[in-house]
Amino acid sequence: MRPTKRRPAKSAKPAGAALNVFALPGLPEIREGDDLPKLIVEAARFAGRKFASGDVIVIAQKIVSKAEGRTARLATVQPSTEAISIAQFVQNDPRMVEVILRESRRIVRKGPHALIVETHHGFVCANAGVDRSNVPGDEVVTLLPRDPDGSARLLAAALHRRTGKRVAVIISDTFGRPWRLGLTNVAIGAAGVPVLLDLRGTSDRAGKPLHATILAVADELAAAAGLVMGKAAGAPVVVIRGFRYRPVLQPAASVIRPASEDLFR
């Protein structure tokens, strides 16, 4: 479902002078039904870390999807005629393409080895987030969580119950960007932390009014966490401490630009 247009939060405070960003190592391979909050708390304890109120916990989408059973076995997928045709063009497994089509609202672009699509969440990304990497077995792929914001809210509540600390949760995934090379982590789910910080109506240091400045706060936090997650380090949970904010429930999909404001469609 496409999110309703929301005003970015104005109540958030900018980051403090310093941030402490650290990974929680030692999580096991996550399987469907695993108690992710319990495993996160145990990993923190094993690493000698304690949670503090205000911590932002950034969790890689991949382990959330695994715990929620959001996986697909390609051996059970029967590709459609459309999937077979597209697979020939993009040079991909027709079964993989079929899964991507099922997770997509529309195809935006087709290219070698990738489909750029709009997911049912409204995200525009490569292959609808369907991914083989960091998944045991050659015939298994992970899918994005059905409701990333809902997953983030449940994780934040469970972590609060287990630790007694008020923490925010961001679920991150790796996205490409138009007109820029390289991948970066972005927020696809959020709970308790501003997703957007609206600075319109305020002034810069020179006293000049800001008319269009809206900061993608949750994406910036996800990107910072990505620096210590790595791709093969086995560190899918990162704690960011020292970021100053006021708790707010703002869906991660708030970053999706409305079609009426999109100059490139």
Side-chain angles (χ1 to χ4, degrees):
M1 180 179 296
R2 181 177 293 277
T4 56
K5 187 174 180 181
R6 296 169 183 262
R7 294 281 294 177
K10 285 182 176 287
S11 59
K13 298 295 183 181
L19 295 179
N20 187 8
V21 183
F22 56 89
L24 296 181
L27 267 78
E29 175 63 33
I30 303 301
R31 295 178 173 82
E32 182 177 358
D34 280 349
D35 187 337
L36 204 49
K38 176 183 178 183
L39 293 174
I40 291 172
V41 171
E42 288 176 349
R45 186 180 302 117
F46 182 78
R49 299 281 192 176
K50 292 184 178 180
F51 290 102
S53 289
D55 283 350
V56 179
I57 317 300
V58 183
I59 305 174
Q61 159 268 322
K62 190 67 60 71
I63 66 170
V64 177
S65 293
K66 289 177 180 178
E68 293 180 351
R70 286 286 288 160
T71 62
R73 295 189 177 277
L74 296 182
T76 66
V77 176
Q78 181 63 44
S80 62
T81 302
E82 181 185 13
I84 293 171
S85 175
I86 293 172
Q88 291 175 343
F89 181 82
V90 301
Q91 303 171 45
N92 203 343
D93 185 330
R95 302 171 301 171
M96 181 80 162
V97 173
E98 177 63 29
V99 176
I100 293 168
L101 292 177
R102 294 175 185 178
E103 294 295 308
S104 303
R105 180 183 295 167
R106 67 185 177 99
I107 297 174
V108 178
R109 290 287 186 274
K110 302 173 188 175
H113 308 293
L115 280 170
I116 306 302
V117 304
E118 181 180 356
T119 72
H120 294 299
H121 316 82
F123 301 126
V124 175
C125 59
N127 297 332
V130 179
D131 194 8
R132 298 175 185 260
S133 66
N134 290 316
V135 185
D138 296 331
E139 294 284 290
V140 182
V141 295
T142 54
L143 320 176
L144 296 184
R146 292 190 187 279
D147 179 9
D149 289 312
S151 299
R153 290 192 297 270
L154 290 174
L155 287 164
L159 288 169
H160 175 70
R161 288 193 299 270
R162 287 186 172 275
T163 66
K165 306 298 182 181
R166 176 189 54 78
V167 299
V169 168
I170 289 173
I171 297 175
S172 69
D173 196 12
T174 305
F175 277 27
R177 302 163 296 167
W179 304 296
R180 299 182 72 86
L181 294 173
L183 304 173
T184 187
N185 278 19
V186 301
I188 66 167
V193 67
V195 173
L196 296 170
L197 176 57
D198 190 350
L199 297 181
R200 294 174 297 181
T202 64
S203 300
D204 65 12
R205 291 184 62 188
K208 298 176 182 178
L210 300 176
H211 299 292
T213 304
I214 303 174
L215 302 181
V217 174
D219 281 352
E220 291 185 322
L221 291 168
L227 293 174
V228 295
M229 276 185 182
K231 284 300 176 186
V237 178
V238 170
V239 179
I240 299 178
R241 183 167 295 165
F243 179 73
R244 294 183 297 173
Y245 64 95
R246 293 179 183 174
V248 62
L249 280 179
Q250 189 180 49
S254 299
V255 301
I256 299 173
R257 190 182 300 277
S260 60
E261 298 177 12
D262 191 336
L263 301 181
F264 301 96
R265 281 191 195 209

